[in-house]
Amino acid sequence: MLYRENGQFKTSYHADQQIFPVVQDKVVILALIALAFVAVPFLASEYMLRAIFVPFLILAMAALGLNILVGYCGQISLGTGAFMAIGAYGAYNFFVRIDGMPLIAALLLGGLCATVVGVLFGVPSLRIRGLYLAVATLAAQFFTDWAFLRIRWFTNDSASGSVSVAGLNVFGMPIETPVQKYLFCLAFVTVFALMAKNLVRGHIGREWMAMRDMDVAAAVIGIRPVYAKLSAFAVSSFIVGVAGGLWGFVHLGSWEPAAFSVDRSFQLLFMVIIGGLGSIAGSFFGAAFIVLLPIFLDALPAALGIPIDTALASHLTYMIFGALIVFFLVVEPHGIARLWSTAREKLRLWPFPH
């Protein structure tokens, strides 16, 4: 009964078009944001912040960008790791080559670099689709791997392709401790999640979803495929590029092209599929599943007092993890977000069966 909407009347278009039209949803989201900003920094250990929460936030943000392209616009991509690398190396070059470059500006400019390259590799989507488009985007992954290893200008003349950053600060405040890094990433993720939520519920998002459902019919009713597809590639690449900058600057500190390999691209694609295509919340559910579940499975035997070899525990983790992925895809192909959506609908109707 706590989730019923009795008495919540909409008397204007503005009220009907809110991001969270149900009051309970708004309260829960605000409570989660307050918990993330206030409680987690005080309750979580430095290890949890550094090894769990910061990677989770950054990968959730990257999955959010990929979900816009794959889930909302229906354009499959296997080059997400490449756009993360472009964002990271682009931000690095702006940061080290321009004296006094603010950290936030460098990250956003790195995202713009990823946007330009993403639009270029999105041009084939105007003529090809499906697996052919996946191969075209995969070419971006191989191209960036080669470029950042062979063209030394991108790495500020580093022969190995490895770069590092230090002395990060925002408005004079250092970004050094795990708590500071966590709050910095959380602020970025919150802003970009709200931005994405507003985009997908507006006319731009409706154009993306029309292209996803049937691009020929969308073109017939006046939607421009060129604008819709390339705008999806641009927005997606920008968010992924900023996430790549955060991954390199905040999480790693020093990195090389292998940090953004094709494995990263597949990991992000799995996050989107498992979490839920075409869902903002699904990006966070998928990131939590991929990042947090293996850690939980690794710690489970020790917590239960089961003596088990470390190597065997590692293999069992991969086996159980893979089985759970197959289970979720069989039980609910639309992802974990669909399970949450179904539960919400049942709560809104309970205890009535209709």
Side-chain angles (χ1 to χ4, degrees):
M1 298 296 289
L2 295 175
Y3 203 74
R4 298 299 298 277
E5 302 170 47
N6 294 357
Q8 298 181 28
F9 302 111
K10 308 296 188 300
T11 58
S12 65
Y13 287 112
H14 176 74
D16 192 48
Q17 295 173 354
Q18 295 179 82
I19 298 179
F20 304 107
V22 181
V23 173
Q24 290 89 334
D25 286 340
K26 187 183 301 184
V27 171
V28 169
I29 294 298
L30 290 176
L32 287 176
I33 293 175
L35 183 69
F37 273 100
V38 178
V40 172
F42 289 100
L43 299 178
S45 65
E46 288 193 3
Y47 168 78
M48 292 183 65
L49 291 172
R50 184 186 300 109
I52 298 177
F53 285 106
V54 170
F56 162 71
L57 289 173
I58 299 174
L59 292 177
M61 182 173 167
L64 178 66
L66 181 60
N67 210 342
I68 287 177
L69 182 64
V70 179
Y72 284 98
C73 196
Q75 309 300 305
I76 189 168
S77 173
L78 296 179
T80 314
F83 302 128
M84 288 186 71
I86 293 168
Y89 279 99
Y92 169 77
N93 277 277
F94 282 111
F95 190 71
V96 300
R97 295 180 186 275
I98 301 177
D99 292 334
M101 170 62 69
L103 175 59
I104 295 177
L107 293 173
L108 296 179
L109 289 171
L112 288 178
C113 294
T115 300
V116 173
V117 179
V119 170
L120 290 176
F121 280 93
V123 170
S125 68
L126 305 177
R127 300 296 298 271
I128 58 178
R129 66 186 72 179
L131 293 176
Y132 300 99
L133 179 59
V135 173
T137 56
L138 188 60
Q141 184 72 54
F142 297 137
F143 175 77
T144 55
D145 287 347
W146 172 85
F148 294 131
L149 277 174
R150 302 300 180 185
I151 304 177
R152 296 176 61 177
W153 184 89
F154 290 123
T155 60
N156 199 21
D157 295 327
S158 172
S160 64
S162 176
V163 298
S164 61
V165 291
L168 303 180
N169 67 85
V170 177
F171 304 118
M173 296 181 292
I175 307 295
E176 297 176 352
T177 66
V179 172
Q180 292 168 340
K181 292 180 178 180
Y182 166 78
L183 292 175
F184 184 67
C185 293
L186 181 60
F188 262 92
V189 172
T190 303
V191 171
F192 275 81
L194 290 175
M195 180 189 74
K197 183 67 175 178
N198 275 293
L199 278 176
V200 299
R201 71 193 187 100
H203 70 92
I204 297 176
R206 289 194 292 271
E207 289 181 358
W208 292 341
M209 288 182 277
M211 297 302 300
R212 174 196 64 191
D213 295 337
M214 188 174 292
D215 54 353
V216 176
V220 169
I221 63 175
I223 295 175
R224 295 171 292 171
V226 174
Y227 174 79
K229 291 183 178 181
L230 293 187
S231 64
F233 268 95
V235 174
S236 172
S237 300
F238 177 73
I239 297 176
V240 170
V242 175
L246 289 173
W247 187 261
F249 277 60
V250 179
H251 178 54
L252 298 178
S254 62
W255 70 94
E256 56 186 9
F260 306 101
S261 63
V262 68
D263 292 338
R264 184 71 63 199
S265 299
F266 283 112
Q267 182 188 39
L268 292 169
L269 185 61
F270 294 155
M271 287 181 188
V272 171
I273 294 174
I274 294 170
L277 291 168
S279 169
I280 300 297
S283 304
F284 292 90
F285 288 141
F289 187 91
I290 296 293
V291 175
L292 303 181
L293 187 61
I295 299 174
F296 172 76
L297 292 176
D298 281 335
L300 187 60
L304 297 177
I306 302 175
I308 188 171
D309 183 66
T310 305
L312 177 60
S314 177
H315 287 88
L316 284 176
T317 297
Y318 282 113
M319 293 170 62
I320 297 172
F321 185 59
L324 287 172
I325 290 176
V326 174
F327 171 78
F328 271 108
L329 293 180
V330 170
V331 173
E332 184 49 77
H334 297 288
I336 301 174
R338 180 62 179 176
L339 295 175
W340 167 240
S341 177
T342 302
R344 286 179 64 247
E345 293 304 317
K346 290 185 179 297
L347 286 173
R348 293 171 75 176
L349 295 176
W350 186 84
F352 303 105
H354 57 279

